[in-house]
Amino acid sequence: MRADVSSKPQSQHPAFDLEQFAETRLGEGKDLDALHLELSQQLIQVRRELHNLIDLRYEDFLGLSSSVAGIDMTINDIKQPLTDLSAQISEVHTELASKLERIDARIAYRQAVRDKKHMLRLFIDLSQLLDRVNAVLSEAEQQLCGGDNVGALTEYLKSLERAAGEFSQARYFIEKGGAYPFILQAAERMQTQEERLHAALDAFLVSRIDEYVLAQSKGRMEPDSAHMGLLAQCLRTYTTVGEYDRAEALIRERLVRPVVSETFGGQPGKGMGLDPAVLGSMFQTTLDFIRQVGAPLARGISAHLPGCAATLEAHVFWREISGTILSALPLLFVPGVPDRFHKNYLAACDFVRQFSALFNTADRYSDLLASDESYVEFHRKWQLSAYFSIRKKQLTDAIDPRGQPESVLDQAAVDGILGELGLSTQLAARAIWALRRCWAEDVYLEPLAPWFWQLTIQIILWYQHSASDALKLLIRSNADGELTAVDQLLAHVHDMFALKQLCSDHIDSIRPLLPTTEQAPDAISVVDGLKDAISQAFESSDDSAAGAIEHISATIVSASCANLASQLRRTTSQFRHTNRAAPKAPSAFVSKLFAELSAVELKITSQDTLAMLRTQVCLGISREIARVSIDALSTISKTEASLHRLRKTTNRASHLDQSNDLPVPPGVDLRGTTPASDNDKIRRQIWLDVMETGRIITDSLNATTHEDYESLAQLIAPLGT
């Protein structure tokens, strides 16, 4: 019987769980008897499979013993040859190891012999080199006694140069030779020769420099080429022995130091607040020396030794000049007196430019001076940040009323700016003065351009906050809407708009002063960026100005429409029980509604301000006349309805009773007729006044009316002609 497919794998699985199996089957609705029967059937099936497996593998099990018979003899037959082979290999290994040891010993011996041979050769070479150096130096000394003509001096230098070459080679051998006794002895011997070589070179260089100075002092424009060739050959010999720095130091000491020390030394106060004229004279004396002595020397030597001019410029002349200034005038770089510091800094920058131009080095050597440590240190010493702090404090004290304006800015300067630019407030005049001072030629320094940009923005922000505070104070003090504060408000508004344009124009004027950057490679883009920053700084000022104009407009509207209600009451009294003819023209007060606006407009020069003010005033007046006219017409309708009720009239009275508060009651239409009743005459007069107000606003003032006015104009159309 075939076992259940779902139960077979479960019962034969290594992790078969009988309890879980029983629980599953019971959950399927099988009882215990059925479960017992199923397990019994599976047990029979498992036993049958086990018997089949035993029958299948039994013959193999029985043949196992016969299949391994003879294995022991086979192993014994193979074991002996393998043992013999292992013994032979061991003997060969021992013999080879012995031979390798003998070979290594022979190699070591040969290496030792080779090293000794090398040291012997080194000893011989060193001895020969030092002997040759001695011989060449002796030969040179004899040649020097032969005369001081160019030929003899040339041969003398050739001998020194040859000795320098031999000396450099000997020094190389000594540095690589180690600490052997004969090497140490050779080093001591070489030290004596080095002193002789240095003494010979130093004496020759000093004599040539002294002779050059003497020749230049006699007015010679360009040095002798042969003489420059000797100097170049001498410097080349210094380079051969690795002592070019020694030659530069000797030239500085012999040629440059006496002149520079005399020029910059002995100044009182160590340069603090040094008179710019005195410093300029020092720089000019130094430039004259470079022009007459230094630059011709560098050019003459460079003709025989290319690239030498740049090194002489940076390492000889500039290092000595800058070092002397730093030591003799250390307080020159402190901005204790900012006006003199500014002039002295510009004089120093101009001196550096002229100094570099005198040497006119080739392009590939032009960066040598700028990268020299002494050059960088000289420029770093100038305390530009402290100078800017002093200038910033001066400007902020001048423009801030809480500061000390009398120390920097007097009232005459403020009045002059007010008259020059047509400004009205001292706040604006102080701001313009401060902006001009930021970029004035006696204040501004190009390395501080980003800082002065920031200060410019700060001054504008200061003005913006100060003007906004002044406007707010005026508006609060003018809460009753009096016209007396309008002039002051207009002055501030005018100056706000004027200052924005003046700042933009001023930035255009300082374009040549602005340095370029990698992000802004030309002055135009720098100016545009600064203008954008200024425009952003003025944004809140625009809001403050708009608020002030709104207050001025409200004040004008309040003053212009203060008597509007009484004017309409006067219109009512003119036609009530007077038997006057129906009106044909607007009232005289309508044209006077805009008198205050006209008076204020005469004080405004900015078209933008004028348009903004006119728009808001017209909106306010049209809104007020609409409000008052509706009230007046509604009052007329109520009065008319009351009278008709008293008279118990019909027709029209019935309509008035139903809508007695409408500005234009149903049934009232005066178009194409001449008003007969007093009330209709009053309505016609109000219509004429309202229409005239709109005409003045749209036609004469080119402005727009309020939406309340537009609604009223449509509502009272039946009252027209």
Side-chain angles (χ1 to χ4, degrees):
M1 180 173 133
R2 196 173 154 187
D4 185 73
V5 176
S6 62
S7 62
K8 180 178 179 179
Q10 295 184 25
S11 61
Q12 296 179 2
H13 196 274
F16 175 69
D17 188 350
L18 179 60
E19 293 183 359
Q20 184 177 2
F21 177 79
E23 184 179 353
T24 302
R25 289 296 183 266
L26 291 175
E28 294 176 355
K30 294 184 179 181
D31 54 11
L32 292 177
D33 293 336
L35 181 60
H36 179 269
L37 178 60
E38 182 180 353
L39 290 174
S40 298
Q41 291 174 352
Q42 289 195 25
L43 178 60
I44 293 170
Q45 183 181 355
V46 170
R47 287 175 177 174
R48 185 181 299 113
E49 291 179 357
L50 180 60
H51 292 159
N52 292 336
L53 182 60
I54 292 173
D55 292 341
L56 181 63
R57 298 298 182 184
Y58 183 69
E59 292 180 359
D60 294 338
F61 175 74
L62 292 178
L64 180 61
S65 59
S66 60
S67 62
V68 298
I71 293 297
D72 293 340
M73 294 182 66
T74 304
I75 292 175
N76 289 331
D77 293 341
I78 298 175
K79 179 179 180 181
Q80 187 60 40
L82 293 177
T83 302
D84 296 341
L85 180 61
S86 176
Q88 294 175 4
I89 292 174
S90 179
E91 292 177 0
V92 172
H93 179 271
T94 302
E95 184 179 357
L96 290 176
S98 177
K99 290 181 178 181
L100 287 175
E101 289 179 0
R102 292 195 297 271
I103 292 173
D104 290 340
R106 291 180 180 178
I107 292 175
Y109 174 76
R110 290 182 179 180
Q111 184 63 39
V113 172
R114 191 180 296 110
D115 291 342
K116 290 180 180 180
K117 182 179 179 181
H118 171 72
M119 296 306 298
L120 181 60
R121 172 56 61 186
L122 179 61
F123 175 75
I124 295 173
D125 291 342
L126 268 177
S127 179
Q128 292 176 351
L129 283 172
L130 295 176
D131 290 341
R132 286 199 297 268
V133 171
N134 273 331
V136 173
L137 288 176
S138 300
E139 179 185 352
E141 292 173 358
Q142 294 177 0
Q143 290 173 345
L144 186 61
C145 297
D148 59 352
N149 56 75
V150 175
L153 294 176
T154 301
E155 292 300 324
Y156 173 71
L157 277 179
K158 288 181 179 179
S159 298
L160 291 181
E161 193 169 6
R162 191 166 63 254
E166 301 285 0
F167 177 83
S168 297
Q169 189 175 2
R171 182 167 56 187
Y172 172 79
F173 286 149
I174 289 175
E175 290 176 352
K176 300 297 183 181
Y180 294 99
F182 77 92
I183 294 292
L184 299 178
Q185 294 175 2
E188 293 178 0
R189 184 180 175 189
M190 190 183 71
Q191 184 175 0
T192 303
Q193 294 177 350
E194 183 178 16
E195 292 174 356
R196 290 180 62 191
L197 182 59
H198 283 170
L201 289 173
D202 292 349
F204 184 86
L205 181 60
V206 168
S207 65
R208 295 304 95 193
I209 290 295
D210 291 344
E211 183 178 344
Y212 170 75
V213 173
L214 180 62
Q216 294 303 109
S217 64
K218 295 179 180 179
R220 180 181 293 178
M221 296 302 296
E222 290 296 331
D224 181 66
S225 177
H227 187 84
M228 292 296 100
L230 292 174
L231 278 173
Q233 189 175 358
C234 182
L235 293 178
R236 187 164 50 244
T237 306
Y238 273 105
T239 305
T240 302
V241 294
E243 295 290 347
Y244 189 77
D245 292 343
R246 179 186 181 92
E248 290 178 342
L250 193 59
I251 297 175
R252 285 200 304 270
E253 179 182 356
R254 196 74 181 181
L255 177 64
V256 187
R257 187 170 302 166
V259 176
V260 176
S261 298
E262 182 181 358
T263 302
F264 293 98
Q267 292 297 323
K270 296 185 177 181
M272 171 63 76
L274 182 64
D275 188 351
V278 175
L279 182 64
S281 176
M282 294 178 182
F283 284 147
Q284 188 59 48
T285 301
T286 306
L287 289 173
D288 292 341
F289 166 72
I290 297 297
R291 186 180 295 106
Q292 297 171 8
V293 177
L297 175 67
R299 288 194 300 269
I301 296 177
S302 184
H304 301 275
L305 190 62
C308 186
T311 58
L312 290 175
E313 174 191 12
H315 300 165
V316 174
F317 294 99
W318 175 256
R319 284 184 182 179
E320 189 63 34
I321 292 171
S322 63
T324 302
I325 294 175
L326 290 174
S327 60
L329 306 174
L331 299 183
L332 174 68
F333 307 91
V334 179
V337 183
D339 291 340
R340 290 192 171 186
F341 176 87
H342 180 274
K343 293 179 180 179
N344 289 337
Y345 176 79
L346 292 181
C349 293
D350 184 62
F351 167 74
V352 173
R353 284 191 294 269
Q354 293 189 55
F355 172 86
S356 182
L358 286 174
F359 287 92
N360 192 24
T361 54
D363 292 340
R364 58 175 175 163
Y365 302 114
S366 59
D367 293 335
L368 185 61
L369 175 62
S371 61
D372 190 76
E373 183 178 352
S374 61
Y375 183 89
V376 176
E377 179 67 11
F378 179 80
H379 285 80
R380 189 186 63 82
K381 276 291 186 178
W382 292 93
Q383 299 182 16
L384 297 181
S385 60
Y387 168 78
F388 176 78
S389 299
I390 294 175
R391 290 302 194 188
K392 180 179 180 181
K393 188 176 187 307
Q394 289 178 341
L395 294 177
T396 53
D397 287 347
I399 62 178
D400 193 340
R402 295 171 296 181
Q404 302 295 328
E406 65 275 7
S407 62
V408 180
L409 175 62
D410 56 13
Q411 189 59 39
V414 175
D415 295 340
I417 293 176
L418 291 174
E420 174 191 355
L421 302 178
L423 299 175
S424 304
T425 62
Q426 292 199 7
L427 281 177
R430 290 178 183 274
I432 287 294
W433 177 86
L435 291 177
R436 287 178 173 180
R437 290 298 298 163
C438 273
W439 303 95
E441 62 180 7
D442 59 339
V443 173
Y444 170 75
L445 291 175
E446 183 173 323
L448 297 175
W451 296 18
F452 278 106
W453 296 348
Q454 295 178 4
L455 182 57
T456 298
I457 301 301
Q458 291 174 4
I459 292 172
I460 293 173
L461 292 176
W462 166 84
Y463 170 76
Q464 165 206 315
H465 292 312
S466 300
S468 298
D469 292 342
L471 288 175
K472 292 176 182 177
L473 181 62
L474 287 171
I475 291 174
R476 284 197 301 270
S477 63
N478 191 39
D480 297 335
E482 298 180 359
L483 288 173
T484 53
V486 169
D487 291 345
Q488 294 177 330
L489 289 171
L490 282 175
H492 281 291
V493 172
H494 169 268
D495 286 358
M496 280 184 172
F497 288 109
L499 193 66
K500 184 176 182 179
Q501 184 59 44
L502 288 172
C503 288
S504 179
D505 296 341
H506 184 63
I507 297 303
D508 286 329
S509 67
I510 64 173
R511 179 178 298 170
L513 302 177
L514 298 176
T516 58
T517 61
E518 292 183 0
Q519 293 77 14
D522 55 74
I524 296 178
S525 57
V526 175
V527 169
D528 292 341
L530 191 54
K531 282 185 176 181
D532 291 340
I534 291 175
S535 179
Q536 294 177 5
F538 270 107
E539 287 181 356
S540 57
S541 295
D542 295 341
D543 296 338
S544 300
I549 292 175
E550 183 177 353
H551 179 79
I552 295 172
S553 302
T555 302
I556 295 175
V557 170
S558 177
S560 301
C561 300
N563 299 322
L564 190 57
S566 61
Q567 291 290 347
L568 291 180
R569 286 195 297 271
R570 188 176 297 112
T571 297
T572 301
S573 63
Q574 287 177 353
F575 292 99
R576 185 77 70 189
H577 308 300
T578 59
N579 201 27
R580 293 185 61 173
K584 297 182 179 180
S587 303
F589 78 88
V590 174
S591 60
K592 297 179 181 179
L593 287 175
F594 302 92
E596 297 293 348
L597 174 62
S598 299
V600 172
E601 285 183 346
L602 295 176
K603 305 173 184 178
I604 300 176
T605 58
S606 171
Q607 293 299 320
D608 294 337
T609 304
L610 181 63
M612 191 182 305
L613 179 67
R614 180 177 292 177
T615 297
Q616 295 188 16
V617 169
C618 290
L619 288 173
I621 291 178
S622 60
R623 183 189 66 247
E624 287 300 309
I625 198 167
R627 180 184 62 81
V628 175
S629 298
I630 288 177
D631 291 343
L633 290 173
S634 297
T635 301
I636 294 172
S637 297
K638 291 179 182 179
T639 303
E640 188 177 28
S642 298
L643 291 175
H644 279 288
R645 281 197 299 271
L646 291 174
R647 296 171 184 171
K648 297 181 180 180
T649 58
T650 60
N651 297 329
R652 189 169 169 184
S654 61
H655 296 295
L656 294 173
D657 288 340
Q658 296 173 6
S659 304
N660 56 13
D661 60 344
L662 294 176
V664 181
V668 175
D669 191 347
L670 305 181
R671 286 172 291 192
T673 64
T674 299
S677 67
D678 293 346
N679 289 333
D680 288 345
K681 293 178 183 179
I682 296 171
R683 290 189 177 100
R684 174 60 62 79
Q685 185 64 63
I686 292 175
W687 179 85
L688 289 171
D689 295 343
V690 170
M691 292 300 104
E692 178 63 12
T693 302
R695 187 195 66 79
I696 293 175
I697 291 174
T698 56
D699 296 344
S700 300
L701 300 179
N702 195 25
T704 57
T705 55
H706 195 271
E707 57 183 6
D708 292 349
Y709 175 88
E710 298 296 333
S711 299
L712 175 66
Q714 295 179 3
L715 179 65
I716 65 175
L719 305 181
T721 55

